[in-house]
Coordinates of all heavy atoms in Angstrom, one line a residue:
C1 N 7.4 354.8 -74.2 CA 8.2 353.6 -74.5 C 7.6 352.4 -73.7 O 7.1 352.6 -72.6 CB 9.6 353.8 -74.1 SG 10.5 355.1 -75.1
F2 N 7.7 351.2 -74.3 CA 7.3 350.0 -73.5 C 8.3 349.8 -72.4 O 9.5 350.1 -72.6 CB 7.2 348.8 -74.4 CG 6.2 348.9 -75.5 CD1 6.5 348.6 -76.8 CD2 4.9 349.2 -75.1 CE1 5.5 348.7 -77.8 CE2 3.9 349.3 -76.1 CZ 4.2 349.0 -77.4
D3 N 7.9 349.3 -71.3 CA 8.7 349.2 -70.1 C 10.0 348.3 -70.3 O 10.9 348.3 -69.5 CB 7.9 348.7 -68.9 CG 7.0 349.9 -68.4 OD1 7.5 351.0 -68.4 OD2 5.9 349.6 -67.9
E4 N 10.0 347.4 -71.3 CA 11.1 346.6 -71.6 C 12.4 347.4 -71.8 O 13.5 346.9 -71.5 CB 10.9 345.8 -72.9 CG 10.1 344.6 -72.7 CD 9.9 343.9 -74.1 OE1 10.8 343.1 -74.5 OE2 8.8 344.1 -74.7
I5 N 12.2 348.7 -72.2 CA 13.4 349.5 -72.4 C 14.2 349.7 -71.2 O 15.4 350.0 -71.2 CB 12.9 350.9 -73.0 CG1 14.1 351.6 -73.7 CG2 12.3 351.8 -71.9 CD1 13.7 352.7 -74.6
L6 N 13.6 349.6 -70.0 CA 14.3 349.7 -68.7 C 15.3 348.6 -68.5 O 16.3 348.8 -67.8 CB 13.3 349.7 -67.6 CG 12.3 350.9 -67.5 CD1 11.2 350.6 -66.5 CD2 13.1 352.2 -67.1
L7 N 15.1 347.5 -69.1 CA 16.0 346.3 -68.9 C 17.4 346.6 -69.5 O 18.4 346.1 -68.9 CB 15.4 345.1 -69.6 CG 14.1 344.7 -69.1 CD1 13.6 343.5 -69.9 CD2 14.1 344.3 -67.6
T8 N 17.5 347.4 -70.5 CA 18.8 347.8 -71.1 C 19.6 348.6 -70.0 O 20.8 348.4 -69.8 CB 18.7 348.6 -72.4 OG1 18.0 347.8 -73.3 CG2 20.0 349.0 -72.9
Q9 N 19.0 349.5 -69.4 CA 19.6 350.4 -68.4 C 20.0 349.5 -67.2 O 21.0 349.7 -66.5 CB 18.7 351.5 -67.9 CG 18.4 352.5 -69.0 CD 19.6 353.2 -69.6 OE1 20.6 353.4 -68.9 NE2 19.6 353.6 -70.8
L10 N 19.2 348.5 -66.8 CA 19.5 347.6 -65.7 C 20.8 346.8 -66.1 O 21.7 346.7 -65.3 CB 18.3 346.6 -65.5 CG 18.6 345.5 -64.4 CD1 18.9 346.2 -63.1 CD2 17.4 344.6 -64.3
D11 N 20.9 346.3 -67.3 CA 22.1 345.6 -67.8 C 23.3 346.4 -67.7 O 24.4 346.0 -67.2 CB 21.9 345.1 -69.2 CG 20.9 343.9 -69.3 OD1 20.8 343.2 -68.3 OD2 20.4 343.7 -70.4
N12 N 23.1 347.7 -68.1 CA 24.3 348.6 -68.1 C 24.8 348.8 -66.7 O 26.0 348.9 -66.4 CB 23.9 349.9 -68.7 CG 23.6 349.8 -70.2 OD1 24.0 348.9 -70.9 ND2 22.9 350.8 -70.8
K13 N 23.9 349.0 -65.7 CA 24.3 349.2 -64.4 C 24.9 348.0 -63.7 O 25.9 348.1 -63.0 CB 23.0 349.7 -63.6 CG 23.4 350.1 -62.1 CD 24.3 351.3 -62.1 CE 24.7 351.7 -60.7 NZ 25.7 352.8 -60.7
L14 N 24.3 346.8 -64.0 CA 24.8 345.6 -63.4 C 26.3 345.3 -63.9 O 27.1 344.7 -63.3 CB 23.9 344.4 -63.7 CG 22.6 344.4 -63.0 CD1 21.7 343.2 -63.5 CD2 22.7 344.4 -61.5
A15 N 26.6 345.8 -65.1 CA 27.9 345.5 -65.7 C 29.0 346.4 -65.1 O 30.2 346.1 -65.4 CB 27.8 345.8 -67.2
M16 N 28.6 347.4 -64.4 CA 29.6 348.3 -63.8 C 29.2 348.8 -62.4 O 29.1 350.0 -62.2 CB 29.9 349.5 -64.7 CG 28.6 350.2 -65.2 SD 29.1 351.6 -66.3 CE 27.5 352.4 -66.5
L17 N 29.1 347.8 -61.5 CA 28.8 348.1 -60.1 C 30.0 348.8 -59.5 O 31.1 348.2 -59.6 CB 28.4 346.9 -59.3 CG 27.1 346.2 -59.8 CD1 26.8 345.0 -58.9 CD2 25.9 347.2 -59.7
S18 N 29.8 349.8 -58.8 CA 31.0 350.6 -58.2 C 31.0 350.6 -56.7 O 31.9 351.0 -56.0 CB 31.0 352.0 -58.7 OG 29.8 352.7 -58.4
S19 N 29.9 350.1 -56.1 CA 29.8 350.1 -54.6 C 29.4 348.8 -54.1 O 28.9 347.9 -54.8 CB 28.7 351.2 -54.2 OG 29.1 352.5 -54.6
Q20 N 29.6 348.6 -52.8 CA 29.2 347.4 -52.2 C 27.7 347.2 -52.2 O 27.2 346.1 -52.3 CB 29.7 347.3 -50.7 CG 29.5 345.9 -50.1 CD 30.1 345.9 -48.7 OE1 29.9 346.8 -47.9 NE2 30.8 344.8 -48.4
T21 N 27.0 348.3 -52.0 CA 25.5 348.2 -52.0 C 24.9 349.1 -53.1 O 25.3 350.3 -53.2 CB 24.9 348.6 -50.6 OG1 25.5 347.8 -49.6 CG2 23.4 348.5 -50.6
T22 N 24.1 348.6 -53.9 CA 23.5 349.3 -55.0 C 22.0 349.2 -55.0 O 21.4 348.2 -54.8 CB 24.0 348.8 -56.4 OG1 25.4 348.8 -56.4 CG2 23.4 349.6 -57.5
L23 N 21.3 350.4 -55.2 CA 19.9 350.4 -55.3 C 19.5 351.0 -56.6 O 19.9 352.1 -57.0 CB 19.3 351.3 -54.2 CG 17.8 351.6 -54.3 CD1 16.9 350.4 -54.3 CD2 17.3 352.6 -53.2
I24 N 18.8 350.2 -57.4 CA 18.3 350.7 -58.7 C 16.8 350.8 -58.7 O 16.1 349.8 -58.4 CB 18.8 349.7 -59.8 CG1 20.3 349.4 -59.8 CG2 18.3 350.1 -61.2 CD1 20.8 348.2 -60.6
V25 N 16.3 351.9 -58.9 CA 14.8 352.1 -58.9 C 14.4 352.3 -60.4 O 14.9 353.1 -61.1 CB 14.4 353.4 -58.2 CG1 12.9 353.5 -58.1 CG2 15.0 353.4 -56.7
L26 N 13.5 351.4 -60.8 CA 12.9 351.4 -62.1 C 11.5 351.9 -62.0 O 10.6 351.3 -61.4 CB 12.9 350.0 -62.7 CG 14.3 349.3 -62.8 CD1 14.2 347.9 -63.4 CD2 15.3 350.1 -63.6
H27 N 11.2 353.0 -62.7 CA 9.8 353.6 -62.6 C 9.1 353.2 -63.9 O 9.4 353.8 -65.0 CB 9.9 355.1 -62.4 CG 8.6 355.8 -62.1 ND1 8.4 357.2 -62.2 CD2 7.4 355.3 -61.7 CE1 7.2 357.4 -61.8 NE2 6.6 356.3 -61.6
L28 N 8.1 352.4 -63.8 CA 7.4 351.8 -64.9 C 6.3 352.8 -65.4 O 5.8 353.6 -64.7 CB 6.7 350.5 -64.6 CG 7.5 349.3 -64.1 CD1 6.6 348.1 -63.9 CD2 8.7 349.1 -64.9
M29 N 6.0 352.7 -66.7 CA 4.8 353.3 -67.2 C 3.6 352.4 -66.9 O 2.5 352.9 -66.7 CB 4.9 353.5 -68.8 CG 3.7 354.1 -69.4 SD 3.2 355.7 -68.7 CE 4.5 356.8 -69.3
G30 N 3.8 351.1 -66.7 CA 2.9 350.2 -66.2 C 1.5 350.2 -66.9 O 1.4 349.8 -68.0

């Protein structure tokens, strides 16, 4: 998959933050 697909998952996570500190790791195909 092209790496743009990761942006959807980023949106989903940002829409439902549950903690004061959040770390999101995106592993690219690059």
Side-chain angles (χ1 to χ4, degrees):
C1 296
F2 296 129
D3 285 325
E4 280 176 84
I5 200 167
L6 294 166
L7 300 176
T8 302
Q9 296 299 332
L10 176 60
D11 285 335
N12 293 342
K13 186 61 181 176
L14 292 177
M16 50 181 186
L17 296 180
S18 58
S19 300
Q20 185 177 46
T21 303
T22 302
L23 171 61
I24 305 165
V25 184
L26 305 178
H27 191 192
L28 304 186
M29 181 55 75

